[in-house]
Amino acid sequence: MGITYDGQTKTFHLQSERTSYIIQVYNGYLAHLYWGKKMDSYNHGTKLRFKDRSFSPNPDPDDPFFSLDTLPQEYPAFGNTDFHIPAYQIQLENGTTVTNFQYKSHRIVQGKGELDGLPATYVESDSEAQTLELTLFDEVIDAEIVVSYTVFTTFDVMTRTVRFVNNGSQKLKLLKAASVNVDFRESEFELITLPGAWSRERYMEREKLRSGIQMIESRRGASSHQFNPFLALVRPETTEEFGEVFGINLVYSGNFQASVEVDQFHYSRVTMGINPFDFSWVLDPGQTFQTPEAVMVYSDQGLGGMSKTFHHLYRERLCRGKYRNQLRPILINNWEATYFDFNEGKIVDIANASKELGIELFVLDDGWFGKRNSDKGSLGDWFVDRNKLPNGIEHLANQVVENDMQFGLWFEPEMISVDSDLYRAHPDWCIHIPDRSRSEGRNQLILDLTRKDVCDEIIKRVSDILASAPISYVKWDMNRHMTEVGSISLPAERQRETAHRYILGVYYVMDQITSTFPDVLFESCSGGGGRFDPGILYYMPQTWTSDNTDAISRLKIQYGTSLIYPISAMGSHVSAVPNHQVNRMTSLDIRGHVAMSGNFGYELDVSALSEEEKAKIKEQVNWYKGVRPIIQFGDFYRLKSPFIQSHTSWMFVSDDQTEAVLAYFSTLAEANVPFTKVKLRGLDPNKVYKIVELDQEFTGQELMYAGVNIPELHGDFQSVMWTLQAKS
């Protein structure tokens, strides 16, 4: 495993545990030869072939067969005989955008470096990875592009980044700077993406590739509810367990674009990176620009194999800090219980009632600061509202902690209300364009995090609160997207850098605060799952998966999210009924079973529940504590898809295959339905497992090959959740 170079053929062979990726320097350009199942060697049986193609020009007039229009490339440009979507575009001082970067040199190093100002996967020792840096050079403008590939030896993953270096004397302007490009010499694929909307995030879509361009993107200043920065190409026959998958995920939280272009020769070009729409970056002489990281996973074991690889990598080499491998507490959040209408007594009542039920963490949501009695004001005024909490946050937190619970707090640090003391003092601290109206979303504007003085003030205000009380959890929210994008701190030629500089500011603020408070568990949120991406997971190991807490809606949301992101990253709560988002009535059983399929919590007024309901919650809490390690850090298997049928099933298996949890959900009841069984996955075929709730024993072989009967479930919205224990 690792990276080898054949000087005779100028071929690089990158190998991880089960994957090969092969690049060749051909006529000075980086050509893509192969990405797929691991091969011990490659002897160019599928070497590049060329012919004189009409309307495909030739950069070398003496070679009518060679054209960049027909060369499968690693990092292509537009304008020099290639008519496809480019990976990058640079504008020169004379206004032209034609460049000609060719191979200059390479180096292979042990380990993996950090990215300046950007989140990325990491290694804990240099032995875990090797990195190939391919330097391309354009002699006319004296500039370099360094295309970096890192191969993890134990995670079966490859990552890519690109660095632009201006060594020349003229000012350059980047118009596009993608992180990854792969040219497949075929197009018999289907495309999987995760589109959605607020409260309906990451619904899976799968469609056949067609001639032309299929594209997903965000222009909202965030990775967004609408699309996740992920795509996968799969074979038409690929399923959860079988078939080839090529998955790419961008470690970035801002505007992105991912496209697949099928050309006239049925080649497929996949490109992903920062969205070039409304983007440019001035690169002065001597300056560099670093693109975000792209994570690439190949699997020949279906979508489940791809997901398992992403899950392990993100849990162990993207998430960081104390809570990376630590069990997450069962929490209760007061938001849907009280909204803005609460006082100290009400909060203490909910916390005390929660403690009696075994809940471990109380979270005080929006409304504790400034004059925040609605969503119309006070964002930015991170000072305690003494009308609601006359004794302050410290006194309230101490009451909760003295009752042997943890205390958490909600913030929305990136936002500012027009009706706030902060805005009145600094009206130009928001993202805006002079002489234009300032559109509001949720009655708020966005602070200009391209400015260090604004970043530092946010850091100070949030840090002062966190240092003032025993706070062990923070919910970090972000509830609007960008309009009128501009910054008065930037000159005219750099205005289109605003959106990217904002994300760099977000990362800076998050890094400073999370580093200063390493014992705090940070959970990110953006109207739920509007910024559920790998970039944020680098700073905050879990995300509020969706504002939609309806159990039936969450089946699709959590199923789709699991395609890439580990269960330990998903916040999932039981809320009141009728559900506040869809007005649906469901039982505590199915609400609990869905919520227990993630980082478990509640979002309702437990102090107002009946004794029967409290007893059920206490039972759920105790049960979850027994299986929490398996659910949060075990291997996850999707068994039945809610996007295909009216039932959903998934399961969790411990690393040593001695314990498992099976969940089965039925949505709408039908008359005279057939009996149902489920085939399990991930068990040891040679072990005997007891299904505790059935008090029956089965071999792993029987459970996986023949399956287990699901009992008849009567009525809508029914579920079962079983534990499996291997006999010693």
Side-chain angles (χ1 to χ4, degrees):
M1 292 187 290
I3 301 171
T4 58
Y5 176 62
D6 182 340
Q8 184 174 358
T9 61
K10 298 182 179 179
T11 302
F12 300 89
H13 191 163
L14 292 71
Q15 294 176 310
S16 61
E17 186 178 3
R18 294 185 296 274
T19 302
S20 284
Y21 192 97
I22 302 174
I23 306 162
Q24 183 179 25
V25 179
Y26 193 94
N27 282 3
Y29 299 96
L30 298 184
H32 177 76
L33 298 185
Y34 177 79
W35 179 24
K37 191 168 183 175
K38 183 179 178 180
M39 299 183 292
D40 293 330
S41 62
Y42 179 77
N43 294 317
H44 294 265
T46 56
K47 68 180 181 180
L48 299 171
R49 295 187 289 177
F50 302 94
K51 63 183 295 186
D52 187 1
R53 298 283 192 184
S54 299
F55 291 92
S56 292
N58 316 110
D60 181 354
D62 295 328
D63 186 352
F65 296 102
F66 178 74
S67 174
L68 295 175
D69 196 41
T70 61
L71 177 72
Q73 296 178 70
E74 283 292 300
Y75 205 66
F78 182 85
N80 188 17
T81 76
D82 185 353
F83 295 107
H84 301 79
I85 289 179
Y88 69 95
Q89 189 175 38
I90 301 174
Q91 186 176 51
L92 313 187
E93 285 185 342
N94 63 12
T96 64
T97 56
V98 174
T99 56
N100 188 29
F101 284 86
Q102 296 192 44
Y103 170 81
K104 176 183 178 183
S105 63
H106 74 270
R107 69 176 192 136
I108 300 171
V109 297
Q110 202 67 31
K112 183 181 191 293
E114 297 180 351
L115 300 186
D116 185 25
L118 287 165
T121 57
Y122 59 89
V123 296
E124 292 190 337
S125 71
D126 285 345
S127 63
E128 293 181 358
Q130 276 191 318
T131 296
L132 167 66
E133 293 184 348
L134 293 167
T135 299
L136 312 180
F137 180 65
D138 186 321
E139 62 181 7
V140 173
I141 58 176
D142 192 15
E144 294 178 343
I145 297 176
V146 182
V147 186
S148 296
Y149 305 75
T150 293
V151 177
F152 285 81
T153 56
T154 56
F155 289 97
D156 202 29
V157 167
M158 185 175 76
T159 66
R160 286 181 61 170
T161 65
V162 179
R163 187 172 72 255
F164 293 81
V165 184
N166 184 3
N167 295 316
S169 58
Q170 68 169 297
K171 182 182 295 184
L172 304 177
K173 180 180 284 188
L174 298 182
L175 303 180
K176 183 175 183 179
S179 297
V180 60
N181 185 94
V182 182
D183 281 5
F184 293 90
R185 287 181 277 173
E186 55 185 322
S187 62
E188 288 298 312
F189 295 112
E190 292 178 351
L191 171 66
I192 293 179
T193 57
L194 296 173
W198 172 79
S199 77
R200 189 167 34 82
E201 297 90 346
R202 291 171 298 285
Y203 275 30
M204 286 178 60
E205 285 189 359
R206 181 168 174 168
E207 59 182 325
K208 180 180 174 61
L209 286 193
R210 59 182 184 271
S211 295
I213 299 168
Q214 290 155 276
M215 181 181 293
I216 60 171
E217 64 179 351
S218 173
R219 303 179 179 186
R220 294 170 166 266
S223 49
S224 85
H225 305 81
Q226 285 68 27
F227 284 104
N228 201 263
F230 163 83
L231 63 75
L233 295 187
V234 301
R235 302 296 181 185
E237 68 274 11
T238 294
T239 65
E240 271 292 318
E241 298 182 65
F242 307 105
E244 287 193 307
V245 184
F246 303 84
I248 306 176
N249 196 198
L250 189 67
V251 186
Y252 189 60
S253 308
N255 294 335
F256 75 93
Q257 185 182 89
S259 63
V260 184
E261 180 179 12
V262 177
D263 71 6
Q264 69 270 34
F265 305 115
H266 303 294
Y267 283 18
S268 306
R269 171 169 291 180
V270 180
T271 311
M272 184 181 292
I274 295 172
N275 197 330
F277 176 81
D278 203 37
F279 166 84
S280 66
W281 192 275
V282 176
L283 206 58
D284 288 326
Q287 290 187 337
T288 64
F289 179 84
Q290 175 66 58
T291 72
E293 179 176 77
V295 178
M296 306 172 66
V297 173
Y298 166 80
S299 167
D300 66 347
Q301 299 173 26
L303 292 169
M306 179 200 69
S307 296
K308 187 176 180 180
T309 300
F310 272 119
H311 292 182
H312 282 210
L313 177 74
Y314 287 174
R315 277 204 315 258
E316 299 172 35
R317 293 298 181 269
L318 178 67
C319 296
R320 304 175 299 159
K322 173 181 176 179
Y323 286 94
R324 185 186 77 175
N325 300 317
Q326 187 166 311
L327 294 177
R328 312 294 166 75
I330 301 170
L331 66 82
I332 185 159
N333 183 300
N334 73 296
W335 178 240
E336 290 193 13
T338 67
Y339 293 104
F340 296 103
D341 185 17
F342 62 82
N343 55 36
E344 183 178 299
K346 180 60 177 177
I347 295 302
V348 171
D349 286 345
I350 295 175
N352 289 342
S354 303
K355 171 60 182 175
E356 293 176 3
L357 303 179
I359 295 172
E360 300 159 321
L361 165 65
F362 176 83
V363 181
L364 179 60
D365 210 281
D366 195 356
W368 58 267
F369 54 92
K371 298 176 182 177
R372 184 77 166 169
N373 296 312
S374 71
D375 63 9
K376 297 185 185 300
S378 291
L379 287 175
D381 297 341
W382 300 110
F383 308 103
V384 179
D385 181 353
R386 295 284 175 169
N387 291 317
K388 292 180 181 177
L389 305 175
N391 301 304
I393 286 291
E394 182 179 11
H395 182 265
L396 174 61
N398 281 328
Q399 288 186 79
V400 174
V401 171
E402 288 167 4
N403 198 22
D404 197 25
M405 290 185 76
Q406 299 176 65
F407 181 79
L409 205 55
W410 178 95
F411 287 90
E412 195 170 1
E414 302 165 54
M415 300 295 152
I416 184 171
S417 301
V418 173
D419 182 13
S420 69
D421 292 340
L422 182 62
Y423 187 83
R424 284 183 280 272
H426 301 284
D428 288 334
W429 274 19
C430 64
I431 296 286
H432 72 283
I433 297 174
D435 303 321
R436 296 290 180 185
S437 62
R438 304 181 183 188
S439 302
E440 296 179 32
R442 201 175 180 249
N443 304 295
Q444 60 199 53
L445 300 169
I446 303 175
L447 284 166
D448 186 356
L449 300 192
T450 70
R451 299 174 51 168
K452 191 172 184 300
D453 57 342
V454 176
C455 291
D456 289 343
E457 183 62 24
I458 294 173
I459 293 168
K460 180 182 184 304
R461 293 190 179 204
V462 173
S463 297
D464 286 348
I465 293 290
L466 294 182
S468 72
I471 297 167
S472 58
Y473 166 100
V474 165
K475 180 180 177 182
W476 184 298
D477 213 341
M478 190 278 281
N479 281 311
R480 74 151 293 182
H481 290 156
M482 286 187 180
T483 56
E484 295 86 45
V485 181
S487 172
I488 63 168
S489 68
L490 298 174
E493 65 179 355
R494 292 187 178 272
Q495 283 299 313
R496 292 176 67 169
E497 299 176 8
T498 302
H500 180 58
R501 287 185 180 274
Y502 174 85
I503 293 298
L504 295 179
V506 170
Y507 292 152
Y508 168 72
V509 170
M510 287 185 172
D511 189 58
Q512 293 295 308
I513 293 176
T514 58
S515 298
T516 303
F517 299 95
D519 294 328
V520 173
L521 170 59
F522 287 86
E523 179 177 276
S524 67
C525 176
S526 177
R531 207 164 58 181
F532 202 137
D533 59 65
I536 297 296
L537 287 182
Y538 180 78
Y539 304 97
M540 302 182 180
Q542 64 187 56
T543 298
W544 180 225
T545 313
S546 176
D547 277 350
N548 188 347
T549 54
D550 171 61
I552 308 308
S553 300
R554 275 297 190 106
L555 293 174
K556 289 183 176 179
I557 293 169
Q558 291 175 206
Y559 189 99
T561 302
S562 76
L563 203 63
I564 329 164
Y565 303 108
I567 303 304
S568 62
M570 292 189 219
S572 187
H573 299 171
V574 174
S575 60
V577 291
N579 176 264
H580 292 195
Q581 289 77 46
V582 301
N583 209 39
R584 193 180 347 250
M585 296 289 294
T586 53
S587 69
L588 257 177
D589 282 332
I590 194 168
R591 279 180 279 157
H593 291 158
V594 174
M596 284 188 280
S597 298
N599 292 331
F600 186 39
Y602 292 86
E603 197 150 332
L604 43 73
D605 187 354
V606 293
S607 67
L609 298 179
S610 68
E611 292 304 314
E612 182 181 358
E613 289 171 320
K614 290 180 181 178
K616 171 61 70 173
I617 289 177
K618 190 170 186 178
E619 177 186 319
Q620 290 176 344
V621 167
N622 289 336
W623 189 86
Y624 184 77
K625 288 177 179 177
V627 299
R628 174 165 42 184
I630 310 167
I631 290 176
Q632 293 182 359
F633 296 107
D635 289 334
F636 180 70
Y637 296 91
R638 295 177 294 269
L639 307 179
K640 288 183 178 292
S641 170
F643 297 100
I644 297 174
Q645 55 214 342
S646 62
H647 3 268
T648 304
S649 186
W650 50 54
M651 66 181 296
F652 313 83
V653 182
S654 64
D655 286 343
D656 60 7
Q657 298 176 295
T658 61
E659 296 180 282
V661 176
L662 170 67
Y664 177 91
F665 310 91
S666 175
T667 53
L668 297 180
E670 295 183 11
N672 199 25
V673 295
F675 294 123
T676 301
K677 68 176 182 179
V678 175
K679 292 182 180 181
L680 279 56
R681 293 178 57 202
L683 303 177
D684 185 333
N686 300 312
K687 291 185 184 295
V688 175
Y689 292 89
K690 179 180 180 179
I691 299 181
V692 175
E693 288 75 12
L694 301 181
D695 195 23
Q696 296 182 45
E697 294 180 355
F698 309 90
T699 64
Q701 288 180 337
E702 181 179 354
L703 291 170
M704 292 192 292
Y705 308 156
V708 63
N709 286 335
I710 299 298
E712 291 187 79
L713 301 173
H714 301 288
D716 295 339
F717 318 133
Q718 301 296 313
S719 61
V720 294
M721 207 161 188
W722 294 336
T723 51
L724 285 72
Q725 297 177 351
K727 296 187 67 176
S728 56

